[in-house]
Amino acid sequence: MSQYTVAFAGNPNTGKSTLFNLLTGMRQHTGNWAGKTVISAEGEFTHKDHQYLAVDLPGTYSLYSNSADEEAARDYIIFEQPDVTLVVLDATSLERNLNLALQVLEITGRTVICINLIDEARRLGIDINLKKISKRLGVPVVAISARNKIGIEALLDQVELVATSVVTAPPLRITYNDEIERGIAELTPMVEQTIGSMYPARWIALRLLDGDDSLLTSLKANMNSKGKALPGTKEVLGHGVTACH
Amino acid sequence: MTATVIPIPLSEALNGSRLRISGIEVQGVLRRRLLDLGFVVGNAVEVLRRSPLGDPTAFRVSNTTIALRREESSLIYGELIGGAET
Ligand SMILES: Nc1nc2c(ncn2[C@@H]2O[C@H](COP(=O)(O)OP(=O)(O)OP(=O)(O)O)[C@@H](O)[C@H]2O)c(=O)[nH]1
Ligand SMILES: [Mg+2]
């Protein structure tokens, strides 16, 4: 029996820990502010023929603002490369929540979108077109209520399909303006040459263009720890900085 | 009401007015943070409440209330689309 890793990402307070606890039978803190998840917790669960390792990441609005929480969530998704990243969204605040979903999808298509608090959305008369969202994002989208245990089996079925690669999607590709696309085109081959094909090169090029030093620091630390040399890093950074002006 | 096409800084908008964001001149990490909070070009923002001294001001954006100081709100521009009569 193989074990797959499922990372739980999402905005703060969207019910990640509630779902995590429901699946793993663990008691990760839940609640509004006091019990906020600050370090990631791990637990196991089984669905059908497979065993899963669930990793509860801290809640973040973004992966780009470089708070400790955001760096932790970002680095986990990039470097640990979970078999599935489960993005847990608040059904009553989709516009805000989809920001993070889009950021994750630009990194990896091994993603399932989980729209939680669907009970609350229904109470407020919010109607969500799951099919349409799924079509636009290119990955499975499931509505659940973690607290009321609604939709959990359907969610895990989709997690299984992505984990076992029955359902696959490339990272979501957003086309930026000409200037940015030129920068990406220039940087991507260098990124690939420097760090290999393990990591999402287009996304890393985009982050370098944005001057994301924190990502660069993490990349270096990670590659050094894996015993690989990083000869071209300085050069790549130099180009990134130039392209910003 | 005739549409105001000249963007004004959010810091100048009256209580109760609604604006469509047309430009953000904040830079760096703070810019990123504002974008993540929903201060994105094209998005609607409502001025909820200005404190007596005018700082900070509560704004409603993407279904959430966010307080901004003048240093930030004066660098975010929007076009008036409704709300308070001027
Ligand atoms: N109505 C409703 N409430 C829920 C649901 N799932 C979770 N909640 C509530 O939402 C609140 C936040 O849940 P958590 O599981 O702590 O959220 P989290 O995403 O782990 O939060 P952070 O760790 O801060 O990122 C708790 O009060 C939960 O009881 C749901 O499906 N419906
Ligand atoms: Mg939590």
Side-chain angles (χ1 to χ4, degrees), chain A residues 12-18 28-31 35-38 56-59:
Chain A
N13 227 27
T14 55
K16 294 177 297 299
S17 296
T18 305
Q28 170 76 329
H29 283 299
T30 63
K36 196 181 170 335
T37 307
V38 281
D56 191 18
L57 300 176

